Amino acid sequence: HTRLQGDWSSDVCSSDLGGMVVDHLAEQAVRSQTASIERIQVRIDNLPNYQILWGRVDQVKISAAGVYLRQLPDLRVDGFDLETDPLDVDGAALRQGRLKLNQPAQAALRLRLKASDLNIFLASARVQTWLDELQFNLSGFSLEREQRRYGLSHPAIEFLGGDRLRLAIDLQDRLSQESIPIVIETGLEIIQGDRLRLINPTVSIQGIEAPSQLISSLAAGASQTFSLRQLERLGLMLRVLTLKVRDNSLDLAVFARLEPTSPLLQKQSGE
């Protein structure tokens, strides 16, 4: 797949009027797939450039900041840089400012997420639903009622550097209706590009170190629940190549493949 190459933002404008029109149409097509974008630059690499109007695209480069996706409107993406492999798009749809694929699209992506933006997202109802799906128990019994007895809520994150983070969250006992604040510190690792693994996690409950059984249960639950393979049912394959935690932000390098039939591509009425 395409490798990301440095900063090209100073060279984003095509040299001719036709190229500028094509770049503008491509930008409009990208904007149509988002809730909002604070800043975006799009460059089309094609010879001749106008061939994109018939759906032939050698490469697209996009640099954007402050992006809100339609599918995750509570999550602000601080910035991303994307470079695609050759694309086969619907030229008629593009001329109307819409993005429609004739063949799967592949791209390399650099993604930046800030802790402050993530905390807003973590406070959303969508994330709470995901947390409610986590199942673990503290008793050692495998009965279903024990697995569903405990839940998590009110998460907040802080990046510590060294690819480690601190997560504050409430542990709820649904049987006794008690809520206990806990703090988790852990390193992060991506397994096979799609699953999150916790490295040397520590858990404290009101300042007291938690039993190893709780730590193991949380680590296993996170690995099983937060898998990028869940996105494949939406026609999107993501594989994380690198993950870095620094400057209170999370930087990811990702390989992506999007199917033409993906519901993530906004459909127009009548299509």
Side-chain angles (χ1 to χ4, degrees):
H1 58 271
T2 306
R3 288 184 175 270
L4 293 168
Q5 301 174 354
D7 180 15
W8 49 269
S9 59
S10 62
D11 188 32
V12 296
C13 293
S14 301
S15 58
D16 53 51
L17 179 61
M20 293 175 62
V21 171
V22 167
D23 289 353
H24 177 72
L25 287 173
E27 177 181 330
Q28 292 301 109
V30 174
R31 286 185 179 275
S32 74
Q33 303 302 314
T34 66
S36 68
I37 300 180
E38 296 170 9
R39 177 183 60 80
I40 183 172
Q41 295 175 316
V42 177
R43 168 176 167 170
I44 304 297
D45 287 339
N46 241 27
L47 291 175
N49 210 328
Y50 61 77
Q51 285 191 109
I52 190 177
L53 298 178
W54 286 269
R56 295 186 292 272
V57 184
D58 292 335
Q59 187 180 60
V60 177
K61 297 180 180 180
I62 302 172
S63 179
V67 181
Y68 292 85
L69 301 177
R70 292 184 183 276
Q71 294 75 25
L72 294 174
D74 298 312
L75 176 61
R76 179 184 183 273
V77 177
D78 187 54
F80 73 81
D81 300 286
L82 178 145
E83 294 185 10
T84 72
D85 287 347
L87 299 175
D88 184 357
V89 302
D90 187 308
L94 183 64
R95 288 192 291 274
Q96 298 175 21
R98 297 184 290 112
L99 180 60
K100 184 178 180 181
L101 300 175
N102 293 326
Q103 297 292 331
Q106 296 188 163
L109 174 68
R110 282 201 305 255
L111 185 68
R112 298 177 298 279
L113 299 169
K114 294 175 62 176
S116 56
D117 295 326
L118 283 173
N119 282 326
I120 294 174
F121 179 59
L122 290 174
S124 69
R126 183 186 299 268
V127 170
Q128 185 57 54
T129 298
W130 292 344
L131 291 175
D132 290 340
E133 294 175 355
L134 280 171
Q135 294 186 17
F136 57 92
N137 71 80
L138 309 181
S139 65
F141 297 103
S142 59
L143 297 177
E144 182 177 355
R145 66 173 180 270
E146 289 294 335
Q147 294 176 347
R148 297 184 178 277
R149 175 175 176 176
Y150 298 96
L152 301 172
S153 64
H154 305 113
I157 198 168
E158 178 184 357
F159 294 126
L160 304 176
D163 295 336
R164 291 186 66 83
L165 60 81
R166 178 182 295 120
L167 176 66
I169 197 166
D170 288 343
L171 175 65
Q172 294 181 321
D173 186 334
R174 298 179 178 124
L175 185 60
S176 66
Q177 300 300 312
E178 292 181 340
S179 181
I180 302 173
I182 63 177
V183 176
I184 303 170
E185 289 192 11
T186 185
L188 299 177
E189 184 181 21
I190 297 295
I191 304 298
Q192 298 180 341
D194 65 89
R195 286 185 294 112
L196 184 66
R197 179 184 176 188
L198 306 185
I199 304 298
N200 297 323
T202 63
V203 179
S204 62
I205 302 176
Q206 296 180 332
I208 301 175
E209 186 175 350
S212 59
Q213 182 180 2
L214 171 61
I215 298 174
S216 298
S217 182
L218 286 172
S223 178
Q224 293 172 6
T225 301
F226 299 106
S227 171
L228 292 175
R229 291 188 183 273
Q230 296 179 14
L231 296 174
E232 293 179 12
R233 60 185 175 82
L234 298 176
L236 175 63
M237 184 190 77
L238 294 179
R239 295 295 181 265
V240 177
L241 306 178
T242 62
L243 179 152
K244 295 293 182 183
V245 177
R246 55 192 173 192
D247 299 328
N248 215 25
S249 66
L250 178 66
D251 293 350
L252 300 170
V254 178
F255 169 74
R257 177 185 172 93
L258 183 64
E259 299 295 332
T261 56
S262 170
L264 297 176
L265 290 171
Q266 182 187 10
K267 300 295 184 179
Q268 305 294 318
S269 58
E271 290 189 351

